[in-house]
Amino acid sequence: MIPSHLLHALVLAFSFAGFVNAQTNSKDRVVTEIAEKKTPPSVRAIAPIDDTNVFFLTERGGVGVAKFSPGLSLIDWEPYSEIHWNAHSDLAIGPEYSLIFANPREVTQAFDTDEDPGVDFYQNIISEWAGKGEGVRITAGPVADAHGRLLFALSPFTENAEEKPKAALVAWQPEADELTVVTRSQLPIADFAISRDSLLAARLSMPGYKDGYYISLTELPSPEVIAATPERVPHTRPSLLIPAEMTEGGTPTQLSFFHEDGMEKLLLVVPETQQLIEIVPSRPGSVWQGAILLRRVMPSPIETVIEMAPGKLLAGGAKGFTPLEKSEQDVYRIQSVALVESGIILNFTEPIDRFAGSKPESYSVQAIGLDGGKSSLPIRPVIESDGMSVILRTPQVSGKTVLRVVCQNVPSEDGESLLSSAVFFTVHEK
């Protein structure tokens, strides 16, 4: 249940004809009139309170609180803190609806203590860690996980003088005196998200690499496993490559998990090109791999996307909030890519033009080696009976490869062009 003073903050701009019962608390108020709409807030990060209320971080580092309808239309918003912090683009909710954010040198917790409402008390909860005096900084986070921990990334990081400094994801719990290393990484972590099932997705920082952007996928062990066997802390390594071609030179930023069609997927935003990139992870063996697709091009740049409820996504950017319900995303696009023994399966959101889709020259498949080199694969398309799927029969695909699949002439049955003709699939094992 949301505290009454927080609910009060969410409905400040409303006028009320009265209460259902004069003695009930604020959660039973009935909205009868909505005040004149205010200028939409800028949004850099969103932290859901429940499925219709959120805290958000503004572009200038302030904090606001917003309320939405069940369909995610913005009802109202209010500033919650006018102080502007130099914070990373992550915002976590702590005990008693406190707010937790970080900059390179510290993690801060903010409270509303006098129920006015508004943040009025701040404290540094994490300001010391190994190597801070030698330049170790927080590069991403904090993100809360299912175990009640706060996780953030440090770089360059080492646990002893004999090791070459690399990077690490560390966890903090209020009752613990020390930070616990959760993963070690060869590369700095620029952004990360954690699924409900403790799957870590991290965007690795490689400023000198111009061909794309690496995403790592790592299953995080439970706190009990780490405490019992600290030597088995996993290493975060590149899992998927997002080619620079896909983002048109823009840098993907925030990661978020969401659930759709019985699967757990990932979203990345590319503010410079207004793209929303979708990743569908898979794990056929011991190593994660998966498909990378363009899900949507937004009408204006967005900085963040979060899942409010299954099937309901909320985006935010300089022009405010944008709901992304599935019904609004039904553009003609490649919806999924999968590898099977006989080749590559492409699934589309609408039936394809069967005449064009049956021609081999309508497609091209390129295998790009993660260790270098590239080759074109011969294909033979086979259209499924519903027209929604195509199997591209190819020779055996080797591991350590990025598949680039281009549908250069595959319109829909109604003559629509694909949102993006290219999709990519990182293959580690086949």
Side-chain angles (χ1 to χ4, degrees), residues 202-216:
R203 180 171 61 88
L204 304 179
S205 178
M206 295 181 65
Y209 184 68
K210 304 302 182 184
D211 292 336
Y213 307 90
Y214 276 109
I215 303 296
S216 71

Side-chain angles (χ1 to χ4, degrees), residues 175-196:
E175 65 274 11
D177 294 329
E178 298 181 353
L179 299 174
T180 302
V181 175
V182 174
T183 68
R184 299 181 180 92
S185 177
Q186 296 280 354
L187 298 166
I189 295 172
D191 187 68
F192 68 96
I194 302 170
S195 76
R196 300 171 191 169

Side-chain angles (χ1 to χ4, degrees), residues 335-362:
Q335 185 169 244
S336 66
V337 186
L339 290 184
V340 293
E341 289 300 320
S342 56
I344 303 163
I345 297 180
L346 303 177
N347 295 307
F348 298 81
T349 56
E350 297 178 24
I352 69 171
D353 180 300
R354 294 172 186 270
F355 179 73
S358 63
K359 297 179 178 180
E361 60 267 27
S362 293

